[in-house]
Amino acid sequence: MEPHPPVVHRRPAQPRGAVLLLHGGRETGPEPPPFWNLPGQRMRPLARALRRGLPDTVVAGVRYRHRGWNPPRADAARDAVAALDSLVAEFGDLPVVLVGHSMGGRAALWAAGHHAVRGVVGLAAWMPPEDPVEQLADRRVVMFHSDRDRMTDPRGSWLCVARTRRAGGRACGVCIPGSDHAMLRRAGLWHALTVRVVAGLLDPAAMPAEIAAELAAEAGGGPAPGPHRIGYEPIAVPGG
């Protein structure tokens, strides 16, 4: 089955960069996603926020061939790489930021070694501790997670940040208290922060100051993770 081309939601006349959205899925699902696919629908408000906030940026979304990750094939990551190739073929060597939710966050991290990728934003990402991070060595990674997520463990995101730093990447974690896996509670905050961080990954001068300071921290530092200590403390935005 041939990969689907990405769905391009915005084509600016003179784009300065691109953002590629990757929605969630499930661990196993060889069938195609249904026409009314809830994980895909969850990304629509975020796509609108990115189009409003970044008018000179291409906004596109990945269309998966399969509903699941389907180990060991990692189908969603393969589709992400194919979508990146398609964006390069259409728009040239624009810097690309990958934004992935849940399984899409895992796919974004796996695909981050693509030459077009400038950085990754993981939203409630599914990130098992054994997943590779070597591809993140020269990338900037910002992971958002709620402390009340019951679908994916936020500790996976914070461990990913620590492992990315030790691999030579620049990484930061942001905890959003009182939200959920689907990003429905405090949705406006998820969207606003994502827009600001994507803007900052494309132009470092636009990055929120606290996140910029974390990303500027020396790569390779931090204690080794253990069962009760991951060696990284995320930024916590206000609750309420």
Side-chain angles (χ1 to χ4, degrees):
M1 183 186 299
E2 290 295 321
H4 299 297
V7 177
V8 179
H9 303 291
R10 177 194 291 282
R11 287 183 169 86
Q14 295 182 321
R16 70 183 180 100
V19 55
L20 184 63
L21 298 169
L22 297 96
H23 64 73
R26 55 179 62 176
E27 183 171 2
T28 303
E31 72 279 5
F35 177 76
W36 183 261
N37 184 34
L38 183 57
Q41 295 299 316
R42 287 194 184 111
M43 301 300 276
R44 292 172 68 91
L46 180 57
R48 287 195 295 269
L50 288 162
R51 291 197 301 269
R52 288 194 303 267
L54 303 171
D56 55 356
T57 300
V58 176
V59 178
V62 172
R63 298 170 60 206
Y64 299 134
R65 295 167 296 162
H66 308 280
R67 197 171 188 177
W69 183 262
N70 301 320
R73 295 199 318 249
D75 285 323
R78 292 171 180 263
D79 289 345
V81 171
L84 285 163
D85 288 339
S86 294
L87 284 180
V88 170
E90 181 172 356
F91 296 100
D93 288 327
L94 287 178
V96 180
V97 175
L98 300 176
V99 177
H101 175 243
S102 194
M103 182 188 76
R106 187 182 189 185
L109 291 160
W110 277 52
H114 192 282
H115 68 88
V117 174
R118 178 72 58 84
V120 176
V121 179
L123 307 174
W126 169 33
M127 188 59 181
E130 67 275 11
D131 274 11
V133 294
E134 293 78 10
Q135 73 281 6
L136 304 173
D138 296 317
R139 302 294 185 263
R140 290 183 295 162
V141 176
V142 181
M143 305 291 285
F144 291 92
H145 223 121
S146 170
D147 58 346
R148 296 186 183 179
D149 195 321
R150 299 295 179 263
M151 186 69 67
T152 55
D153 191 339
R155 291 175 297 181
S157 287
W158 315 147
L159 179 58
C160 177
V161 169
R163 294 178 65 219
T164 299
R165 287 183 167 187
R166 286 196 297 276
R170 304 286 177 170
C172 172
V174 180
C175 179
I176 300 183
S179 185
D180 53 13
H181 182 72
M183 307 182 294
L184 296 175
R185 290 193 291 272
R186 312 195 75 189
L189 180 61
W190 286 92
H191 299 164
L193 285 173
T194 300
V195 171
R196 292 186 66 193
V197 168
V198 169
L201 290 172
L202 293 171
D203 176 6
M207 185 67 76
E210 193 171 7
I211 294 176
E214 287 287 325
L215 292 175
E218 183 178 357
H228 304 294
R229 180 180 175 87
I230 63 170
Y232 178 76
E233 191 68 27
I235 296 170
V237 299

